[in-house]
Amino acid sequence: MNRKLVLLFFSLVLTIQTTRAQVNVGTIRGTIRDGQTKEALIGCTIRVDGTQLGVTTDVEGNFLIANVPVGNQKVIISYISYQTKEIPNVRVESGNTTAIETELLTEGKALQEVVVRGSRATNTEVAVITEIKQMKPIAVGISAQQIVKSQDRDAAAAIRRVPGVSIVDNRFVLIRGLAARYNSVLINDVITPSTEVDTRSFSFDLVPSNIIDRMIVFKSGSAELPGDFAGGVIKIYTKRRPDQNFTDAGLTLGYRANTTFQTVQTQTRSGLNWLGLWGADQQIPSSFPTKFGEFNSLNPLQRAAYAQLLPNSWGLKNYSVSPDIRFALNLGRRFDVGSIRFSNLTSINYASTNQFSNIDLKLYDNGTIANAVAEQYNDANYARQSRLGVLHNWTARFASGFTLEWKTLFNQLSTTETVVRSGQRIQDGFDVRSFSERFENRSILTSQVSGEHSISELTKFNWIASFGYTGRWEPDWKRVRYQRVTGASGTDGQLQPFSIATPNDPNPIDVGRFYSKLHEYVVSAIGNGEHTFGNPTDREPNRIRFGVYAEQKNRDYSARFYGYQSVGNSSVAKSSDINNAFSPANVNGQNGFSLLDGTKPLDSYKGINTYLSGYVTGDVYFGPKANLTLGFRGEYNDQGIRATRTTVEEQLVSNKVFSPLPSLNFTYKLSDRTNLRLAYSSSVNRPEFRELAPFSYFDFNLLADIRGNTALKTANIQNIDAKWEFYPTPNELISVTGFYKHFTNPIESFLLIQANGLAYTFANANSAQNYGVELEVRKGFSNSSSVFLQNLSVVGNVSLIKSQVNVGDIVRAPDLSGEVREYDIRGIADTQRPLAGQSPYLINAGLYYAAPNSGWQANILYNVFGQRIFAVGNRNNPTIYEMPRNVVDLNVTKLVNKKLELRLGIQDLLNQYVRFVQDFSHDGKIGSDVTSQTADADQTIRRFKRGSYYTLSAVYTFGRRTIIP
C-alpha cells in the first residue's frame, strides 16, 4: 500500500474532525416513562422551546437532541392522551450532555383506542452503528439492512464486508489475517462447535443470510466474551421477532458462467441427496466384520463376497447443468393471549447450486531447476450443493421485566463432488487418469431457551439453556487411479489401455472406498447479571456485570477405508472402464479384484471437553468524558481424547488448564460524536479435537495427508488495541484502529519432513506477533443539494497487517507411525515466517444508491486480500501462497407496488483466476506467473476460475410488509 495515501487519509480524517467540531452547543438526552406503570413511552415529542430542535422517543422511551445552544433552555414534552410537561431551566453546557429522566401523567379522559407498542430495532444500519458505539470493547458489525442491499447469500459472503475480515474457501472467516482457528463464533450468544473434521473452524456458509438480524465482530476482549480467540469473537444474531404480521416468499434463479447449461460428468446421487440426506445404499452393510484384522484374515473369495454387497455405483454419466435455484418462505406473527404478547418467526430455506471448475494442478521437482514439472494434471471438478435450513423462534413477553424466548436453528448442507483427473506423472513416465466420487453431508442444530428478567430497576438477569448438535458424514467416498506408460503402444500399434493401479496394501491414493461419520453433542448453561449502583437515571451510572458459562462437549468420530487388490489374472478387470471395473463379474476373488480393510485403530477417536468459566466486570467513571471498564474472566478447560492404538482404548490426551484472563477497556469522549478507545485483554487458543487426534486423513484435491498431534499445547495471546471513532451522523462512521498481538506457543500448520508425498500436521511454534492498522468509513450525503447524492452512501475499509512467527529450531510433531518426536528444522524449513493464512492487506469498498420514492436500489462492491500462506512448506516442498484476486459485485433492486421486490445480481464480475503459487526461491515474495528456468522463478501449483455468477430474485410479500425482509 502507498504510505502517502495512508497519510492523506489520516489528514482528511483530522480535517473532517476539525471542521465539523461544534462550539457553544451541547446535547440533551433522556428517558420518558408512564407516571403510573413506569413503562417507557414510545413516540413522545420533545422539543426545545424557541428553537427548531425536536425529536421523538424510541421504543425504549429514549431520546437525544444534539446541537442545543448553551444556556438555560425550556424543554417541552407532549404525548397524545397525556398531560404536556414543561421543564424550565435545563442547563446546557458546551460539549457536554444533560440528562433528563421524567414521567408523564395521563389526562382525565384517556383515549382507549390509542395503543402504541414496539420493540427495539436491531437490524438496521443505524441500530448496529449505535450498538457498536455504546459497547465497551472494540467492535464492528453488519446489519440485515446492509446484507439485503448487497444480496449476499450466506453469512460467509456477508461478513467479508466487515473491516479486517476475509474469507477462505467461501466459508471460513479470517480476522486481521489470522486463520479461522483463532476465532470464536457464537450464534445467539452460545458458542458454536467446529463444523469441520480437519480444522478448528466454523463453516459460515451454513447460515443463510435471510435469517440474520446482525453480525457483530469483537476485535478486543472483555470479561463477558469467551477467552478463546485472537482474531476476534463473531456473534451471529438470528432474527428474533417480527415488527408486524407478514408472510413473504422468495425465488432466486442463478446462472454461473462455465457451469450452467454445460455438460459435465457426475455420479448418480442417492435417493434423498437432494435434501442433504444420505441414502441406505451409501452405508456399509451391517454384515461386514467391524474389525479390520477379522476381515483381512478371510480368504480372497470371502472378502470378494463381502465386496459384492457394496453397490457398483462407480459409473459416471453426462449431465447438463441446470440453473441454480433458491427458495425461501418467511412468516412472522404477533398476537396477545390475555396480557402476554407472543411472537413467532419462521424461515424455511432451500437451495440447489452448481459449481464446475477446470483446475490446472502441477507438482514440481524442487531441485536446482525452476519449473521442472514432476506431475501435471487437469481436474474437471463438478460439485452440486443442496441446503435445507429452518429457523423457528418464539418469544413470550409476560411483562416489561420478564421475557422468555425459544430459538431453534437447523441447517443441512450436502455436497456431491466428482473429480475427473487426467495428466502425467512425468518423473515416472506414466499417463494418469483418476476419479474421485464424494458425497458429504453436514448438519448443525442449535436450540435454546432463554429468559430476561428485570428483578428491579437496578438489577437485571438473563439466562440461556442450550443444546447443540453437529454431524458430518462422508459415506462411500470412492477413489481410483488408472495409469499407463507414456507413449507405449501395443502390438496393434495403438496406445496401451489405462490400467487400474492396485497396490499390495490399501492406500488412499490409488483405489478404495472411504466412510466416515462424526457426531458432536454440546450442552450449555449460561447466566448473566447486571446491577446498577445509586440512581439509574444518572448520566453515567456505575454498574457491575457478572456471569457464568458451563459447557459439556462430546465428540464421536469413526472412519473406515477399504482398498481393492488384484487377484490372479486381473488384466481384464483392471483395464475395464470406470462403469464396469467393479461389477460383480470383476470383483470375484479369483481373476479380478478382492477387498482389503485398510482401517487403522487410530482412524476413530472420542473427544470429551468440559468448559467452565465465570466473570465479573465493572465500570469506573472519571467524569462525563472518561470511562474505564475493568474485568476478569477465569476459564477452566478439561480436554481429553480417547482412541485405540492396538486393542485397548487409551486416554491419549488429557489437558486440564485454568486460564486467568484480565481485560481493560477505556473510552474517552472527545465529544458527543467522537470517542478514543484503548483496550487490553489476555486470551487463549486451545487445540481442537481433530488437531489432537492422531488420525490421518487424505485430501484428494491437494494430494496430501493431514494428521493430528497429541502434544499440542494451549496458546496464550496478549492483545492491545487503540481506536479513534467519529460519528458525524447516526448512520455515518469514520474510524482508525491500531492493534498489536503477542502469541506464546501459537498453533500452526507444519509440513512433516518425509521422503515421499505431502503430510501436514499441527504444531506449536515458540512465539509470534501480529500488528496492523484498520480504517473504516461509512459516509452519506443527506445534506447535499443534489437529490442523487442524497440517495448515495459509501462504505469502505482498509486493513494493513504484518505478522511473524518464530517457529524455533526444534518442532514436536508426529512421525508416520503417529508417535510424537522432535524435528530439527534448521536448514530444512523456515524458522521465521508470516502466520499461516495472514494477508498483509485487505480492502473492502461499496457504493450504495437507494431512492425510496421510486423503489430503486443499486450498489457496486469491491473486495481484495493480499497474498497469504495457504500451506506451510520446507526446503523440499516450498511454501504455497494464495494469490490476490479482485472481486467486483453489482446488484440492482426494484420494489413494485410495495409487494414485489425484484433483484438482479452479478457476483465476481471480473472472474479472475484463483491461483496458488509455490515460493520456489524461498524469499517470501511471489512475483508474476513466470515460466522461465531462472532460480528465483515462482511456480503456479493450482489455477482455476469459478465463473461470474448472475442471479435474478423475486420476493413477494403477502399482507403487511416487514421493515427488513
Side-chain angles (χ1 to χ4, degrees), residues 108 234 253 413 428 474 665 684 731 742 766 891 925 942:
I234 307 165
L253 297 178
L413 182 69
D428 299 329
E474 283 183 300
N665 288 276
V684 297
N731 62 344
H742 183 271
N766 285 347
N891 300 285
K925 300 176 182 178
R942 298 178 74 215

Side-chain angles (χ1 to χ4, degrees), residues 541-561:
N542 292 312
R543 290 190 177 96
I544 186 171
R545 295 174 295 279
F546 50 89
V548 294
Y549 197 120
E551 178 188 272
Q552 180 67 39
K553 181 190 302 182
N554 293 335
R555 171 182 285 197
D556 190 350
Y557 177 81
S558 61
R560 299 291 299 274
F561 171 67

Side-chain angles (χ1 to χ4, degrees), residues 893-948:
T893 302
K894 171 64 175 175
L895 181 62
V896 182
N897 296 328
K898 298 183 179 181
K899 293 286 187 180
L900 177 64
E901 188 173 274
L902 301 176
R903 303 171 181 170
L904 172 66
I906 306 175
Q907 296 182 332
D908 199 2
L909 181 64
L910 302 179
N911 190 27
Q912 294 186 337
Y913 275 105
V914 177
R915 198 158 63 95
F916 299 87
V917 178
Q918 183 171 268
D919 183 17
F920 177 78
S921 58
H922 301 283
D923 60 359
K925 300 176 182 178
I926 303 297
S928 60
D929 184 14
V930 298
T931 57
S932 67
Q933 300 299 308
T934 60
D936 61 349
D938 296 315
Q939 306 159 336
T940 297
I941 299 293
R942 298 178 74 215
R943 190 181 73 158
F944 63 93
K945 289 186 175 182
R946 291 195 174 99
S948 298

Side-chain angles (χ1 to χ4, degrees), residues 770-833:
N770 175 259
Y771 54 91
V773 62
E774 299 169 338
L775 303 92
E776 180 181 13
V777 175
R778 296 171 182 252
K779 174 63 180 169
F781 306 93
S782 57
N783 295 325
S784 172
S785 59
S786 167
V787 175
F788 176 80
L789 290 178
Q790 289 175 8
N791 296 328
L792 205 63
S793 61
V794 178
V795 175
N797 55 78
V798 177
S799 301
L800 306 176
I801 306 166
K802 187 176 179 64
S803 69
Q804 180 175 289
V805 178
N806 298 311
V807 181
D809 297 336
I810 306 297
V811 174
R812 298 193 70 215
D815 58 19
L816 293 177
S817 68
E819 292 293 330
V820 176
R821 69 182 185 86
E822 293 186 343
Y823 291 85
D824 188 339
I825 65 171
R826 287 172 293 185
I828 300 175
D830 293 331
T831 58
Q832 291 187 343
R833 56 170 172 77

